[in-house]
Amino acid sequence: MPRTGRRPITAATLLAALCVLATSCTGQSAGTASDDPKADVTLKFWHGWNTPAEVKAIEENIARFEKAHPNIKVEVTGDITDDKVNQALRAGGDKAPDVVSSFSTDSVGKFCNSGALADLNPFLLKSGIDKAKVFPKTLLEYTRFKDDQCTLPLLHDAYGLVYNKTAFTAAGITEPPKTWSQFVADAQALTKSNGDSYDQLGVMPTFHGYETTPMRLVAQWSPTYFAADGSSNLAKDPAFAKMLTAQKDLVAKLGGFEKLERYRAGFGDEWSSAHPFNKGQVVMQIDGEWRAAMAEEAGVGFEVATAPLPVPDDQVDDYGKGYLSGTIMGISSTSRKQNAAWELVKYMTTDTGAVVAFANSIHNVPSTLAALESPDLKVTPALKTFMDIARHPKSNTTPAQPDGGTYQLTFQDFAYRFEKGDVPDLQAGLAATDRQIDTDIAKAK
């Protein structure tokens, strides 16, 4: 999702946010909300989008909602970080938002577990909405924690491969790689080294390379993050060690960690026209559905194409799967206008016309089954790739936990150290990471 306002999330930020939300919020529960949704009311809606096109798309959606609900006015505040949302939900009061959206599905477990956001199940029930028939299964998984559906999906993101087809043709490569070994071979063939730097790099494989995170890559191995008893499963599931080993091998084959990181230091901003993919500095980019559209809007001088990410060689039958994430939307548990707030959430997350219009405006994958099949959806060949990834039965996401995304940051920090060569024993390191994750989750509970 093209969101220039997205900030890097650090472990310290998440832990601080968790402390802010450690005290259960008080307010109307979903089952006791008594405000009249037909009364004249003004709602405060906070979101994180901040580019002109995104802000315009939000304003247009809100305008359509207000036309359909003339008694409800919506005060919209954009460019809001999760930190600000967390603090405001904890404080409550007249200045706090009634409705919030967040780019981070990692926050769902924390939002639900702390009671910061109201459980939406009673609202869905009152409205006669069967969520299993409205939303894809994976989206419901990342918008709830256990049985608490404290958020709903508001568009979603699928991750795949965006590539410079012109460079592929020049290198004699006729199709995108389907297996990891093909991916490695293509990355090497597309790389043009120049001493301590590169004239062109097949792909930036290091975990600091924008969307090339451990979570995106390991999704191709279909991992199980937690065992049946709830304990961290990184050391026991071979998927994690296999991914880390394959990624480190690719780093070595493309010149080594230090050389790659020096090259990466010269990259432009991820959300600007100076993105390294746009500049031809990298040929293949692991990214979301927005990247192809943003490259074309930047006026690149080459043909842009998309494909699913490659899969391990022994999982070739699963080609087409990928990592799924998205934007979430919920109602403050301290809001005294929850029934009216539900009308806004219901409209933006379940109304097919609203979802399709918003998806068309910001080049995202729709988040409802009906919207995915809508004839009004503008489906480019590039977007179709990501829609197919979103529909793939083996596509997966990171599970919600009460510590939010802290467990993912712990895994990511370990991956940073491993790719750099600072981990002498991979299995022992994964086991230690498991113990840290279990400790953090126990504290959060």
Side-chain angles (χ1 to χ4, degrees), residues 165 234 360 415:
K165 191 173 182 179
L234 306 188
N360 285 341

Side-chain angles (χ1 to χ4, degrees), residues 21 23-35 85-86 88-93 96-100 110-120 123 148 150-151 330-339 341:
L21 286 172
T23 310
S24 179
C25 299
T26 59
Q28 299 178 96
S29 69
T32 60
S34 58
D35 61 292
V85 169
N86 291 333
L89 292 176
R90 165 64 161 69
D98 300 289
V99 178
V100 299
K110 179 178 57 186
F111 282 143
C112 295
N113 189 57
S114 68
L117 296 180
D119 183 9
L120 300 180
F123 291 105
D148 188 344
C150 74
T151 68
I331 298 172
S332 168
S333 63
T334 64
S335 172
R336 300 295 175 180
K337 309 166 187 175
Q338 289 187 7
N339 284 325

